[in-house]
């Protein structure tokens, strides 16, 4: 593999779960030659993973400004600047609009809007000319998915923040872009594979015939991070054409699950509310 990122230092937050999307991305960037700072909340897993990729581990809670300030100090102690910054944090809440609680809405906003906003504020002063800021967004920031309102709204909002960063920091040579996967075979998306009929129903909506993988997203991140990328302020739809057709409706998924199992699909919120 050609190493296009030799000499670059990258940081990715959200890497505290084994084999999640952030770890797959970090492995790819390390394979391309980048020295990685891997960040998240599980200190033991981060240390294990940092050793795997020959990088540095740093604990940080993206929803805490003091924690973000401490992360910036850690970066200053470990590197003379950043060339790649990736936010891959997220929480896949599935719940109807009317049943979303105040606590859930505030947690979602802290994790997927305020936290990333302040994370970028903390990291941008450390980024060198020619560097790349990357937000892992979602196809649902653009297209519909039933019972996903808080997730979709916060992802769409931070995508617009990324566009503003691209506009404001372009004069400093900093690129800023989002990447939008669809349903992906990662720990966060694992639940979709547990109920027969669900995954197959989603895959029918992909013109390329399959749902995405974390490796698909890592490929896109590696390109955005490279010096050959002359793109900024964009949202890359790395989802096999899903946005051409849209996600299945709840009714479609329900019908598929009943056909596969003879029983209705589980609805976690109904259990919570009951």
């Amino acid at each position: 593999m050609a190493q296009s990122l030799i000499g670059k230092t990258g940081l990715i937050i959200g890497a505290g779960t084994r084999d999640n999307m952030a770890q797959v991305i970090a492995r790819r960037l390390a394979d391309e030659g980048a020295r990685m700072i891997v960040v998240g909340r599980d200190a033991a897993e981060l240390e294990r993973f940092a050793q795997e990729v020959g990088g540095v581990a740093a604990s940080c809670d993206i929803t805490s400004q003091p924690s973000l300030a401490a992360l910036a100090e850690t970066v200053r102690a470990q590197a003379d600047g950043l060339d790649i910054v990736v936010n891959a944090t997220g929480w896949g809440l599935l719940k109807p609009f009317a049943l979303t609680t105040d606590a859930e809405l505030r947690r979602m906003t802290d994790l997927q809007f305020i936290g990333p906003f302040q994370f970028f504020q903390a990291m941008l002063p450390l980024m060198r000319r020619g560097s790349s800021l990357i937000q892992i967004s979602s196809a649902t920031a653009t297209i519909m998915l039933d019972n996903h309102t808080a997730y979709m709204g916060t992802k769409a909002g931070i995508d617009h923040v990324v566009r503003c960063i691209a506009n404001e920091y372009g004069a400093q040579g900093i690129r800023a872009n989002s990447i939008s996967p669809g349903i992906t075979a990662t720990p966060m998306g694992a639940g979709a594979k547990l109920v027969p009929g669900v995954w197959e129903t989603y895959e029918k909506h992909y013109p390329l015939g399959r749902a995405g993988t974390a490796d698909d997203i890592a490929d896109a991140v590696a390109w955005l991070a490279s010096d050959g990328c002359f793109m900024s302020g964009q949202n890359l739809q790395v989802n096999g054409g899903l946005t051409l057709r849209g996600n299945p409706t709840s009714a479609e998924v329900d019908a598929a699950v009943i056909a596969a199992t003879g029983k209705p699909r589980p609805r976690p919120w109904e259990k919570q509310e009951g």
Side-chain angles (χ1 to χ4, degrees), residues 2 41 116 118 127 131 138 192 217 245 247 260 268:
R41 292 181 293 184
Q118 294 177 338
M127 295 179 72
S131 59
S138 168
I217 306 308
R245 298 178 182 175
N247 285 298

Side-chain angles (χ1 to χ4, degrees), residues 7-9 80-85 123-133 166 168-176 224-227 229-230:
K8 295 186 182 295
T9 298
D80 58 2
L82 293 173
D83 304 289
I84 309 158
V85 170
M123 294 299 105
L124 277 161
L126 307 174
M127 295 179 72
R128 291 189 274 245
R129 176 169 289 275
S131 59
S132 178
L133 180 150
E168 186 171 344
Y169 286 83
Q172 298 180 32
I174 295 173
R175 305 184 305 280
L224 286 178
S226 71
D227 292 336
C229 174
F230 184 62

Side-chain angles (χ1 to χ4, degrees), residues 127-268:
M127 295 179 72
R128 291 189 274 245
R129 176 169 289 275
S131 59
S132 178
L133 180 150
I134 302 164
Q135 163 70 21
I136 303 301
S137 182
S138 168
T140 61
T142 304
I143 61 174
M144 287 294 104
L145 179 64
D146 294 343
N147 304 318
H148 215 37
T149 310
Y151 181 94
M152 293 163 63
T154 49
K155 284 290 190 182
I158 204 65
D159 283 348
H160 284 286
V161 171
V162 170
R163 293 176 67 235
C164 293
I165 291 169
N167 181 57
E168 186 171 344
Y169 286 83
Q172 298 180 32
I174 295 173
R175 305 184 305 280
N177 296 282
S178 298
I179 296 176
S180 285
I183 193 171
T184 310
T186 63
M188 192 170 85
K193 285 197 167 184
L194 297 179
V195 182
V198 173
W199 193 266
E200 296 80 3
T201 303
Y202 276 89
E203 286 203 312
K204 291 176 183 176
H205 285 246
Y206 288 77
L208 291 183
R210 65 168 177 85
T213 67
D215 286 323
D216 294 325
I217 306 308
D219 288 343
V221 170
W223 178 71
L224 286 178
S226 71
D227 292 336
C229 174
F230 184 62
M231 176 180 286
S232 197
Q234 304 304 310
N235 187 334
L236 278 68
Q237 298 292 329
V238 186
N239 50 51
L242 173 66
T243 52
L244 297 172
R245 298 178 182 175
N247 285 298
T249 65
S250 283
E252 289 177 89
V253 178
D254 288 343
V257 171
I258 290 172
T261 68
K263 298 184 293 185
R265 175 168 53 130
R267 284 179 168 77

Side-chain angles (χ1 to χ4, degrees), residues 14-55:
T17 300
R18 185 179 288 238
D19 295 328
N20 69 356
M21 185 179 289
Q23 290 199 356
V24 173
I25 291 169
R27 284 192 196 102
R28 175 61 190 275
L29 297 179
D31 287 345
E32 293 281 352
R35 177 175 178 262
M36 294 303 300
I37 302 172
V38 294
V39 184
R41 292 181 293 184
D42 186 332
E45 173 58 21
L46 290 165
E47 288 291 348
R48 181 206 67 79
F49 182 63
Q51 290 184 18
E52 177 188 329
V53 297

Side-chain angles (χ1 to χ4, degrees), residues 44-125:
E45 173 58 21
L46 290 165
E47 288 291 348
R48 181 206 67 79
F49 182 63
Q51 290 184 18
E52 177 188 329
V53 297
V56 175
S59 295
C60 180
D61 178 354
I62 198 171
T63 68
S64 164
Q65 274 193 296
S67 188
L68 290 168
L71 175 62
E73 289 305 312
T74 298
V75 173
R76 289 187 180 96
Q78 293 289 338
D80 58 2
L82 293 173
D83 304 289
I84 309 158
V85 170
V86 185
N87 174 35
T89 59
W91 174 37
L93 176 67
L94 277 168
K95 199 166 188 183
F97 173 79
L99 298 182
T100 303
T101 67
D102 179 77
E104 289 166 337
L105 182 59
R106 291 180 185 279
R107 179 184 172 196
M108 183 65 78
T109 305
D110 284 346
L111 184 62
Q112 293 198 166
F113 187 80
I114 297 173
F117 194 113
Q118 294 177 338
F119 168 68
F120 296 145
Q121 285 180 321
M123 294 299 105
L124 277 161

